[in-house]
Amino acid sequence: MTTMYDLAREEYAALGIDTEAVMEKLAAKPISVHCWQGDDVLGFDQEGGLSGGIQTTGNYPGRARTFEELTCDFEAAMALVPGAKRINLHASYVVFTDENPWVDRDAIEYKHFEPWVAWAKAHGYGIDFNPTIFGHPMMNNELSLSSPDAATRDFWIRHCKACRKISQQIGEALDDQTLCNIWIPDGLKDVPGDRFGLRERLRDSLDEIYAEKYDRVIDSCESKVFGIGLESMTVGSNEFYLAYAATHPGVYDLLDLGHFHPTENVADKLSALLLFFDKVPLHVTRPVRWDSDHVVLFDDPTKEVAMEIAHIPGAWEKVIIGLDFFDASINRVGAWATGTRAMEKSLLYALLQPGERLKELQDTYQFTEKMMLAEQAKSMPFGAVWDEYCRRAGCPLDGELYPAVAAYEAKILPERM
């Protein structure tokens, strides 16, 4: 019997697109899914609550409170998502036990993350890692690696060094590469009296952090345009980190879709960076008027990023896709599943576009035909291919997603009230 997918495959084949090859390619591309959606970015070692302009809003019941609950929720969410996955950890998700009791962030070691490694290995997940430079008493006036106080800077330098060493050991344990990304909230609420000194200290701190080289670590720094309470100046701007990465081989400029001015097109930046860097790490999120980190949706900005990843030569291998959103007003497993599926869906949509033909038409100045072909491709039977991709992965179709999430919620909620 002819299925909707059979008809879609034939229609795409008429445009020279092999849907079978597309699904096989997509299934092998990992997405690094952030752990912090599951507990509202609180982590397991928080002492001072959230800071640095990070805010979660809402109080939906069922927040994960322990390593066991967080991993259980993550497994439940990822079972609803086709494709390869990694988990992205912040250092604040350290697992303390009677055998490995609490230490401050500048003294954490690989042993504190061995439960994560064992769990990830059992489930086939890779791991990425981040120093946690917020929510701590040593965030002195919201300054860390750029602080004028040497003791503050040294504490966070030790923390970042520890995180890079842990990342190396995670990579060795999983026979993999680990992205270790540094984001700092450092900035000023009002007009600075000295921008240069702040950035000079940040540069010197990074030089010290990156002095030791690791073969299992991909290093990156994440810029931001501003933060709540830090409106007038952000030390780690995109210009700063881009210049640092350009002059420090092996360190990359991570682009977060919410860390730019709302009118900036982050997708447009990929082609520029990919001409000069062999890796471009991404944090895909959905900013609403500011870096609100709403759940990623199958929307135009996400699709445009996916188009660049799918059609720039070499980008599929070079772009490291991570997610970064958190919403405490809705079911957290549902948020994880929806956002990750939206990224997968956007990549599938992009791979099914006639990119080579569109490029050919652009290069031969056939702009009317290019426009019409692009419009034609938008109404192709993409949904039938997405449904087939989900079926083959054993994942629910879109209309089956909420019942699966609701069933899991009904199972775990009584234990967490």
Side-chain angles (χ1 to χ4, degrees), residues 26 76 108 177 218 233 238 267 297 303 330 360 394 413:
L26 178 57
I108 56 174
Q177 298 287 110
I218 301 169
M233 188 260 188
N238 190 54
L297 299 179
K303 285 188 283 186
I330 58 177
E360 178 185 341
L413 202 55

Side-chain angles (χ1 to χ4, degrees), residues 64-82:
R65 301 157 298 182
T66 65
F67 169 76
E68 290 75 18
E69 290 181 351
L70 190 59
T71 52
C72 185
D73 289 356
F74 189 88
E75 292 169 33
M78 293 305 104
L80 306 175
V81 180

